[in-house]
Every structure is written in C-alpha cells, then in structure tokens.
Amino acid sequence: MKQESGRSMVEMLGVLAIMGIITVGAVSMISRAMRTQKLSTVTDDVVSIVTGVRGLLGEYDDFSKLNSETVFSAINQSQTNPYGGKYELSVDVNNPRQFVVSITGLNKSDCENLLTKAWTDSVGYISSDRKQSGASGNCKDGNTNTVSIIYGE
C-alpha cells in the first residue's frame, strides 16, 4: 500500500467554512465599531457647535443674529456630518433666546439612537427634570431624517 500525504477535499472545505464564519463575525464587529464612532463624532461635534455659538454670541441677550456660515467659519468646523448630511443652526422662532442645532441625513436607526440620547445641556432635557432626551425628530425609513436639539434659556 502506498501512503498518501496531503489534505482531503473535506478538510479543505472545513477550513474554508471556519474562515467564512470568522470573517462574518469580523465584518459585523467592524460595522458596529464604525456606527459607534459616527455617533460619538456627532455628539462631539454638537458639543463643539454649542460651545462655539455660546462663545460667539454669549454676550447678546438673544440669538436672533445667529448666522450658520459665520459660526461654522469662526469655530473652524465643517457643516457636513459623518452621515453625509449637514449640521444646521437656526433661531427658535418661539424664543430668540434659544437656538436649534439640527443634524440631517440620518438613517432610521441612527436617528432613533440620537433621539433617545440624553443631550444633557439642552432645554428639553433640563426642563423635563432630566427625564427626556432633549431632542426632537421623526425617524422614518431612508436617509432623510433630521434630529433637532434646542439650546439656550
């Protein structure tokens, strides 16, 4: 009898199956990490925007002179968010002592995540006795969702 050496087809298929399972797990973990990073970046950006607006316009009694282009230029920050949408600034029409930071271009799951996040310095969070997130928006399917957060007095 001859002694054969090498691998059989069954052994090779087994190795390929194991490698496939490992790859699927790695892709899932990378995807989750990227999503977490985007959410973290948005949170940091909103804090930076709010700090910038307060620094630039804090001496005024209201934010009626708020101008998005001027603010973003002065704080040296892009208006584009990690989701491909924009950060937008506006004055609350009901109260010029408040301004609104809007995050556009969100998909449904990230919109829902940002809606439930506690925006600790926002008007809605403080006025709800720290029981609500402070954000508002309507999350639908697609990448056209917007979350708005009101800051000020």
Side-chain angles (χ1 to χ4, degrees), residues 50 54 63 95-100 121-124 126 149-153:
V50 170
R54 287 181 173 156
F63 295 100
N95 184 352
R97 296 175 66 93
Q98 297 178 344
F99 64 96
V100 181
D121 200 23
S122 69
V123 171
I126 293 169
I149 311 147
I150 299 175
Y151 290 91
E153 297 176 7

Side-chain angles (χ1 to χ4, degrees), residues 2 8 14 19 22 34 45 47 51 61 63 77 111 124 133:
K2 281 184 170 180
S8 71
M19 287 176 59
I22 291 171
M34 288 174 58
D45 286 350
V47 168
T51 302
D61 288 338
F63 295 100
Q77 183 171 332
C111 176
S133 77

Side-chain angles (χ1 to χ4, degrees), residues 26-101:
V27 167
S28 173
M29 287 175 37
I30 290 169
S31 174
R32 199 169 328 145
M34 288 174 58
R35 181 173 183 239
T36 301
Q37 177 61 35
K38 282 183 180 181
L39 291 170
S40 179
T41 299
V42 167
T43 301
D44 293 345
D45 286 350
V46 168
V47 168
S48 176
I49 292 166
V50 170
T51 302
V53 168
R54 287 181 173 156
L56 292 170
L57 300 172
E59 64 191 53
Y60 300 108
D61 288 338
D62 63 37
F63 295 100
S64 59
K65 297 180 192 312
L66 183 75
N67 178 321
S68 282
E69 287 81 31
T70 304
V71 170
F72 283 103
S73 175
I75 64 174
N76 198 23
Q77 183 171 332
S78 171
Q79 282 187 266
T80 305
N81 66 43
Y83 299 99
K86 297 248 182 225
Y87 295 114
E88 297 174 356
L89 289 172
S90 60
V91 179
D92 185 350
V93 293
N94 299 319
N95 184 352
R97 296 175 66 93
Q98 297 178 344
F99 64 96
V100 181
V101 178

Side-chain angles (χ1 to χ4, degrees), residues 130-151:
R130 299 173 175 8
K131 293 182 179 140
Q132 295 178 354
S133 77
S136 62
N138 188 6
C139 304
K140 302 175 186 169
D141 288 329
N143 293 330
T144 59
N145 298 302
T146 300
V147 170
S148 298
I149 311 147
I150 299 175
Y151 290 91

